[in-house]
Amino acid sequence: MDSRPLLIFDSGVGGLSVLAEIRQALPLAPIVYVADNGGFPYGTKTEAEIAARVPALLGRLAERYRPRLIVIACNTASTIALPGVRAALDVPVVGTVPAIKPAAERSTSRVIGVLGTEATVRQPYVDDLSHRFASDCQVLRHGSAALVELAEASLRGDPTPDAAYHDALSGLLDQAGGDRMDTVVLACTHFPLVADRLALVAPRPLLFVDGAKGIARRTLTLTAGDSWPERATPGTAIFTAPNEVSDGLRGALASFGLEKIDWL
Ligand code: DGL
C-alpha cells in the first residue's frame, strides 16, 4: 500500500474547487491541502515575488510531506512559476492554466471573458493561449483582487453583497464587446467557489468555464497504476502562517474532506 499523499497547493481556499474534482476522481487518495496564507494574495504580487516564493515553498513542502504528486491549484502561481517548480522538484507537478480552449470551443458569440487575478490576466501565457485556441474570438480580460477576497469570505460563511459580485463582472461586461460576451473563463481557482453568485448578478445567462475537471483527469492519468490506501482517510489542511481558523472555515474545510488542520 502506498500512503503518499497528493499535495494540492494554492494561496488560499481557491484550490478547494480543484480538490472537489480530484476527490471525485480519486476518492482513496490521501490529501494534503496547502493554503499559503503567509503569501496571500498572490494576484497583486509581482512576477519576481511569485517566481521566488512558490518553488522554494513547494520544495519545503515536498520534503516534509513526501507527496507522490503536486497539484498547483492556482492560476497565478502556475502561469508564473510552473517551469521553476518543475526544474526544482523531482515530483510530478500538475499546473492550472486558464480554460481558454474549452471556453472558445463553447462560445457562440465568439466573445469570451477571462476573469482572473491581475497577475494572471497580464501574463504572456494568456496571449499565447488566446492565439492558439481562440484566434477567432475577442478575448476580454479583467483582474479582480476583490473577487478573491469575496470567495475567501464567502467560504468561511461571512456575508458578501451582490453588488460586489456585480462590480467584478462589470469589469468584463463594460468593456467594448462585453455586451456580446457569452462565456467567461474563471481563471482563478477561487472563482468557481462563487460562480453561483456571479450567475445571479449577470444581466443575462453566461457560461462559466474552469479547468478543475481537466486537472482531475490529468491527475488520474499521472497516477494510473498507483496503489492507494484501502479506505479513504481524512485530509489535512496546512496553513503556512499562524492564523485563527473560525468555526465557519473549519466547517468548510471539513466539507471538502479536510478534517485535520496544521501549520507549517
Ligand atoms: N487562487 C489563485 C489563482 O488561481 C490566486 C488568488 C490570489 O492569491 O490572488 O489565481
Side-chain angles (χ1 to χ4, degrees):
M1 185 203 74
D2 185 349
S3 60
R4 286 175 306 154
L6 301 177
L7 192 151
I8 301 175
F9 176 82
D10 183 35
S11 59
V13 298
L16 296 175
S17 64
V18 176
L19 170 59
E21 295 294 341
I22 291 177
R23 268 167 50 87
Q24 277 214 8
L26 289 163
L28 296 177
I31 301 290
V32 170
Y33 180 89
V34 180
D36 180 17
N37 60 316
F40 176 89
Y42 282 1
T44 52
K45 291 196 161 41
T46 64
E47 281 72 1
E49 285 173 304
I50 293 165
R53 181 176 184 89
V54 173
L57 180 55
L58 280 171
R60 257 178 90 195
L61 290 163
E63 216 159 84
R64 177 173 293 210
Y65 298 105
R66 302 275 166 205
R68 68 180 78 198
L69 178 142
I70 293 173
V71 177
I72 303 185
C74 174
N75 290 260
T76 313
S78 297
T79 54
I80 295 170
L82 192 55
V85 172
R86 287 199 167 126
L89 297 186
D90 200 13
V91 182
V93 181
V94 178
T96 306
V97 298
I100 289 173
K101 183 171 185 255
E105 284 165 1
R106 298 175 71 178
S107 168
T108 306
S109 69
R110 312 314 286 156
V111 180
I112 66 178
V114 178
L115 192 56
T117 64
E118 286 121 309
T120 294
V121 299
R122 67 170 180 254
Q123 292 313 306
Y125 199 87
V126 174
D127 299 324
D128 183 51
L129 290 173
S130 303
H131 289 139
R132 281 166 61 205
F133 302 116
S135 56
D136 67 332
C137 291
Q138 184 181 357
V139 181
L140 308 175
R141 304 176 191 196
H142 178 60
S144 175
L147 194 53
V148 174
E149 295 288 353
L150 285 169
E152 290 274 331
S154 158
L155 188 98
R156 58 177 181 256
D158 293 352
T160 49
D162 279 351
Y165 295 95
H166 184 264
D167 285 352
L169 208 50
S170 296
L172 291 170
L173 289 165
D174 293 351
Q175 293 182 38
D179 54 336
R180 288 183 295 114
M181 178 179 74
D182 65 353
T183 306
V184 176
V185 180
L186 298 178
C188 168
T189 52
H190 279 73
F191 300 169
L193 299 174
V194 291
D196 54 339
R197 299 293 304 274
L198 291 169
L200 218 59
V201 299
R204 57 180 183 277
L206 294 171
L207 181 65
F208 293 103
V209 180
D210 68 72
K213 278 201 162 61
I215 296 168
R217 275 197 301 274
R218 183 76 189 134
T219 304
L220 199 57
T221 303
L222 289 178
T223 56
D226 274 21
S227 71
W228 301 98
E230 278 171 17
R231 255 177 239 101
T233 45
T236 306
I238 306 290
F239 292 95
T240 60
N243 61 346
E244 271 199 20
V245 178
S246 65
D247 289 348
L249 178 55
R250 195 175 287 274
L253 293 171
S255 74
F256 286 87
L258 303 173
E259 288 170 26
K260 295 185 276 181
I261 297 180
D262 211 342
W263 286 264
L264 188 63

